[in-house]
Amino acid sequence: MIYQTPPLTTDDETVLAEIHEMRRALALVLRAPRPWRGGLRRTMLARAIRGSNSIEGYVVTEDDAAAALDNEEPLSADEQTFAEIRGYRQALGYVLQMAGDAHFVFDTSGLRGTTAASTKAPTPVLCRT
């Protein structure tokens, strides 16, 4: 080696011990949670999509709701119903993504843009406010 590391002094070791203790104490607070991408999460999202849309009259099977999550074709839902389910999935994904943004402001213009972008209609879609 060109340069040799100098030996640690008692003060150096004390500071290093304090740093290690702080890192240990703050590890749970500072560690960012990883997104859970397991089967249970997928099933729960599919059930949320299915339940929320059934209130509006769009009833699909859990398999069709899961297909909407995976960007796959439906097994039994008709085209219109599946388009509604897919739109809800996109809106839900948008809300979940934006929930962590400190600068996000919820207003009707964001909903209108999301709704219009999720349809194949050439004109904006009216939504309830």
Side-chain angles (χ1 to χ4, degrees), residues 95-102:
V95 168
L96 290 173
Q97 188 68 31
M98 296 311 292
D101 184 355

Side-chain angles (χ1 to χ4, degrees), residues 44-57:
M44 296 311 293
L45 281 173
R47 287 180 181 173
I49 289 172
R50 183 176 180 233
S52 184
N53 282 281
S54 66
I55 294 169
E56 298 290 331

Side-chain angles (χ1 to χ4, degrees), residues 27-58:
L28 294 176
V29 177
L30 297 177
R31 188 174 299 135
R34 293 183 312 227
W36 185 25
R37 305 213 186 270
L40 182 59
R41 180 175 191 266
R42 180 179 173 268
T43 301
M44 296 311 293
L45 281 173
R47 287 180 181 173
I49 289 172
R50 183 176 180 233
S52 184
N53 282 281
S54 66
I55 294 169
E56 298 290 331
Y58 299 106

Side-chain angles (χ1 to χ4, degrees), residues 39-105:
L40 182 59
R41 180 175 191 266
R42 180 179 173 268
T43 301
M44 296 311 293
L45 281 173
R47 287 180 181 173
I49 289 172
R50 183 176 180 233
S52 184
N53 282 281
S54 66
I55 294 169
E56 298 290 331
Y58 299 106
V59 180
V60 295
T61 65
E62 193 173 310
D63 289 334
D64 285 339
L69 285 171
D70 297 336
N71 288 322
E72 295 177 355
E73 292 300 314
L75 299 174
S76 60
D78 63 83
E79 188 175 327
Q80 176 63 36
T81 301
F82 195 68
E84 296 292 338
I85 300 299
R86 190 181 303 120
Y88 181 83
R89 189 238 344 136
Q90 290 171 345
L92 180 62
Y94 177 75
V95 168
L96 290 173
Q97 188 68 31
M98 296 311 292
D101 184 355
H103 303 290
F104 175 68
V105 177

